[in-house]
Amino acid sequence: MTRLCMALLAWFAAFLPLNAGAEPVTLKLSFFASDTEVNYARAIKPWIDAVNADPSGAVKIEAFPNGALGKALPAQPQLLLDGVADIAFVNPSLGPGRFPDDQVFELPGLLQNLKEGVKLYEELLKANLLRGYSDYYVVGAFMNPQYMVFARRPIKSLADLKGMKVRINGAVIGQTVKELGMVPVLMPPNEVVEAMGRGTIDATTTVPAAIVDFGIDRVTSHDYLLPLGAGPLAVLMNRKKFESLPKPAQDVIAKYSIRWIDDTYIRDLGQYNDELIAKFKADPKRTVVAPSPADLASLQPVYQKVTAEWVAKGPGNAELLSKARELLTRIRAN
């Protein structure tokens, strides 16, 4: 009887999941801002919930929003390398030199909408054409919609931009606004309200969601829907940490990474930003102005100059831009 029992136990064990009865791997996720911020609430939190509810039970994501592990958005990539967090929301444009090729997304006139921006980001990462990611496993590759100008004082045309001190979050967009006569000031979005209060800046280049999420709507009332280029956002994981995980845990992270989380982002964030533009237009306390056809036409030489100067800055920039345009042609065809 004893031998029979032992044989049966061995047989059952052979068919049990490898991680049955094992404690899930716990991973710490850092988010620099409030848990009500739209990227967290509509993309990252659903991803956390999906991973934690996976039937395998192999992974538990422990979230630390509200800057609990670090409030500085530019510092998030280093938090991962230092082991303070395992996963973090990152704005690559705010880390000068760390993700240098991501500037291609900021080129004015390159991207038409959020969805194609996300797809292009995915494809360039897949082809290993963006430097700076070797230390990270990419969970999510997001893309902001077009950056526009939100200001304290009226803007009716391009001429009104001259002399304004404007917050930017990337070097290429900084060059674009400089060509338009503005003074660029690099800073993360959670510092904009205070900077406007001090008079450090008069306006910010950003997206509609950030206007609401960071309270910038309280200090701005003039919205100029000038397309200035886009900017990447990412959810990254320490690659060494990912590779050290048991195979079942790696499989769960991979299952919900890129395709799952990016599709969630495209669906919910694209719709949200469109709704906010409509809300701003309906708000009697806000003035929303779109550039005139003449102003849009006059932008083209500026956009071409900024693009040409960026191409000339690095030996690989021309090839990267060519590849990005080739991929965009395919994306738009599909």
Side-chain angles (χ1 to χ4, degrees):
M1 179 66 72
T2 302
R3 289 181 180 175
L4 178 60
C5 289
M6 291 177 65
L8 287 170
L9 286 172
W11 186 86
F12 280 119
F15 289 92
L16 286 172
L18 292 177
N19 63 329
E23 287 294 318
V25 172
T26 299
L27 301 173
K28 295 179 293 183
L29 183 146
S30 171
F31 191 76
F32 78 108
S34 164
D35 56 5
T36 62
E37 196 273 347
V38 68
N39 292 292
Y40 185 89
R42 298 203 178 201
I44 296 173
K45 182 59 165 58
W47 178 82
I48 293 170
D49 292 342
V51 170
N52 287 347
D54 188 82
S56 71
V59 178
K60 178 185 177 185
I61 304 294
E62 188 175 357
F64 292 87
N66 305 300
L69 297 180
K71 291 181 180 294
L73 182 52
Q76 298 300 307
Q78 192 61 43
L79 290 184
L80 296 175
L81 300 183
D82 292 342
V84 176
D86 303 307
I87 304 168
F89 176 76
V90 168
N91 185 327
S93 299
L94 291 174
R98 191 185 290 271
F99 305 100
D101 298 326
D102 286 34
Q103 291 183 354
V104 70
F105 302 117
E106 297 178 40
L107 292 174
L110 179 67
L111 297 174
Q112 295 177 354
N113 55 58
L114 175 152
K115 182 176 181 179
E116 72 175 31
V118 171
K119 299 297 183 184
L120 177 61
Y121 196 5
E122 291 175 357
E123 291 299 319
L124 289 174
L125 286 168
K126 189 188 303 181
N128 198 30
L129 291 173
L130 300 176
R131 289 172 292 166
Y133 289 88
S134 59
D135 291 328
Y136 305 98
Y137 176 87
V138 181
V139 170
F142 306 159
M143 186 66 58
N144 272 311
Q146 291 287 326
Y147 290 118
M148 296 174 283
V149 181
F150 300 85
R152 295 190 299 175
R153 65 187 198 220
I155 304 174
K156 295 181 180 179
S157 69
L158 290 179
D160 295 324
L161 300 178
K162 296 187 184 303
M164 276 193 181
K165 294 172 290 185
V166 60
R167 171 261 176 180
I168 52 101
N169 73 333
V172 177
I173 289 176
Q175 185 61 31
T176 303
V177 299
K178 190 175 180 180
E179 292 291 338
L180 295 172
M182 306 181 83
V183 180
V185 182
L186 183 70
M187 71 174 64
N190 52 337
E191 296 179 12
V192 168
V193 171
E194 184 179 348
M196 282 201 176
R198 292 196 309 263
T200 307
I201 57 173
D202 306 302
T204 179
T205 58
T206 191
V207 297
I211 291 295
V212 174
D213 289 337
F214 296 99
I216 302 170
D217 55 336
R218 300 196 305 268
V219 293
T220 61
S221 55
H222 300 279
D223 311 334
Y224 192 47
L225 309 185
L226 177 70
L228 290 169
L233 302 167
V235 181
L236 303 180
M237 182 174 183
N238 182 306
R239 183 175 292 278
K240 289 182 179 178
K241 181 67 176 182
F242 176 80
E243 292 175 349
S244 73
L245 297 178
K247 182 64 164 57
Q250 289 185 3
D251 290 344
V252 171
I253 296 296
K255 177 180 177 181
Y256 297 101
S257 293
I258 298 293
R259 180 80 292 112
W260 191 97
I261 193 172
D262 285 4
D263 284 351
T264 301
Y265 177 86
I266 289 169
R267 181 184 67 243
D268 289 355
L269 271 295
Q271 178 182 343
Y272 181 64
N273 275 283
D274 291 343
E275 290 171 354
L276 286 179
I277 290 291
K279 181 180 178 181
F280 293 164
K281 289 179 177 179
D283 186 345
K285 296 180 180 179
R286 302 193 72 84
T287 302
V288 180
V289 175
S292 68
D295 276 347
L296 286 175
S298 68
L299 281 172
Q300 297 314 305
V302 172
Y303 286 3
Q304 291 166 9
K305 180 182 179 183
V306 170
T307 299
E309 289 179 352
W310 180 81
V311 166
K313 282 182 179 179
N317 287 358
E319 185 178 352
L320 178 60
L321 178 57
S322 177
K323 185 63 177 178
R325 286 172 169 163
E326 177 189 328
L327 289 169
L328 280 171
T329 300
R330 293 184 203 168
I331 290 167
R332 289 165 184 164
N334 292 329

